[in-house]
Amino acid sequence: AQKITQTQPGMFVQEKEAVTLDCTYDTSDQSYGLFWYKQPSSGEMIFLIYQGSYDEQNATEGRYSLNFQKARKSANLVISASQLGDSAMYFCAMREAGINTGNQFYFGTGTSLTVIP
Amino acid sequence: DVKVTQSSRYLVKRTGEKVFLECVQDMDHENMFWYRQDPGLGLRLIYFSYDVKMKEKGDIPEGYSVSREKKERFSLILESASTNQTSMYLCASSSPGDRLNQPQHFGDGTRLSIL
């Protein structure tokens, strides 16, 4: 089974609007971490935001926030006030706790976001 | 800031050649990774290493090998390059698994074309 599922291959959003990128995950661990990355067309992977499974508050970093619903095993990324520079691929990833199991990161297939002027 | 440096941004090689992709990180990270990225398939793990001279196969190790002789350097080797290995290759590093909130840090990627 896929550890991380991103069901939206492509999304469009009007400039200055908010957009939600979906991510669901599958784990039987109680302790895990969830990450979102941005990949512009130039190719580098940029870390955006982290949410721990025990964090009580949803994570926020500037215009990025994470809508974390533990019971539904979802960790959706919300980008507020979209800008043209937000056009990129976005990847959701998970890391499970543990010295050995925590070495691996699991990535989704990504969502391509296009911001329309 | 963590710096992960991949030796080439673009590389063109011929079928049957032995190809070396080099990756160096400067943050003393124990873990290093090689991924392959293809459209619609996301990032697929080829190999990772959690210590010097240690390696673990990922999801798609066939046709690849790796070398980690020093902690900061992790090399990906295509033993005999084939056209289906044309792809974007990403190197990453991270701290050990008990530091759950630490992300992976990526290099800029190598776009490899096999002709």
Side-chain angles (χ1 to χ4, degrees):
Chain A
Q2 290 285 348
K3 289 274 192 182
I4 296 287
T5 302
Q6 294 180 255
T7 57
Q8 307 154 313
M11 291 280 286
F12 292 87
V13 64
Q14 206 73 38
E15 195 177 6
K16 299 178 186 171
E17 299 288 314
V19 63
T20 298
L21 307 184
D22 294 342
C23 172
T24 57
Y25 59 91
D26 181 29
T27 181
S28 55
D29 282 12
Q30 296 302 307
S31 182
Y32 50 88
L34 297 156
F35 304 81
W36 276 92
Y37 288 84
K38 172 184 178 181
Q39 187 183 41
S41 58
S42 50
E44 71 272 27
M45 294 279 280
I46 302 164
F47 164 64
L48 295 177
I49 194 167
Y50 166 81
Q51 178 83 45
S53 59
Y54 290 117
D55 293 343
E56 294 185 354
Q57 304 279 348
N58 285 342
T60 60
E61 288 287 346
R63 293 187 298 110
Y64 304 110
S65 60
L66 210 151
N67 183 1
F68 180 47
Q69 298 186 45
K70 196 169 179 176
R72 298 180 62 184
K73 292 189 174 178
S74 75
N76 299 338
L77 178 71
V78 180
I79 305 174
S80 62
S82 297
Q83 301 172 357
L84 296 178
D86 293 333
S87 294
M89 283 289 290
Y90 289 82
F91 290 94
C92 179
M94 179 177 66
R95 184 181 203 182
E96 294 165 324
I99 296 288
N100 294 320
T101 56
N103 286 326
Q104 268 211 52
F105 287 69
Y106 301 95
F107 284 83
T109 51
T111 295
S112 176
L113 177 67
T114 303
V115 180
I116 303 164
Chain B
D1 268 359
V2 175
K3 185 73 174 173
V4 180
T5 304
Q6 293 184 230
S7 51
S8 305
R9 288 299 302 270
Y10 300 92
L11 205 54
V12 180
K13 295 291 182 181
R14 297 229 172 255
T15 304
E17 279 192 70
K18 191 169 187 175
V19 180
F20 293 85
L21 301 184
E22 305 287 346
C23 177
V24 177
Q25 52 98 0
D26 66 358
M27 278 301 291
D28 204 35
H29 280 162
E30 284 77 3
N31 297 340
M32 295 189 75
F33 306 79
W34 276 106
Y35 293 93
R36 172 177 170 159
Q37 184 180 9
D38 300 289
L41 298 179
L43 276 69
R44 292 183 292 168
L45 182 64
I46 305 172
Y47 270 97
F48 74 94
S49 169
Y50 53 89
D51 203 349
V52 175
K53 297 192 186 293
M54 305 303 289
K55 61 185 179 185
E56 293 278 345
K57 290 181 181 179
D59 301 317
I60 52 164
E62 296 79 19
Y64 303 94
S65 62
V66 290
S67 172
R68 193 160 180 210
E69 296 297 319
K70 293 184 177 181
K71 191 174 185 179
E72 67 271 19
R73 185 179 298 270
F74 193 35
S75 303
L76 179 69
I77 304 150
L78 285 66
E79 297 291 342
S80 178
S82 64
T83 54
N84 63 12
Q85 292 178 309
T86 291
S87 188
M88 170 75 136
Y89 290 86
L90 290 164
C91 175
S93 72
S94 76
S95 48
D98 55 340
R99 299 178 200 174
L100 197 60
N101 64 345
Q102 297 300 302
Q104 277 187 331
H105 297 269
F106 285 84
D108 288 342
T110 296
R111 294 185 192 271
L112 176 64
S113 295
I114 307 295
L115 304 178

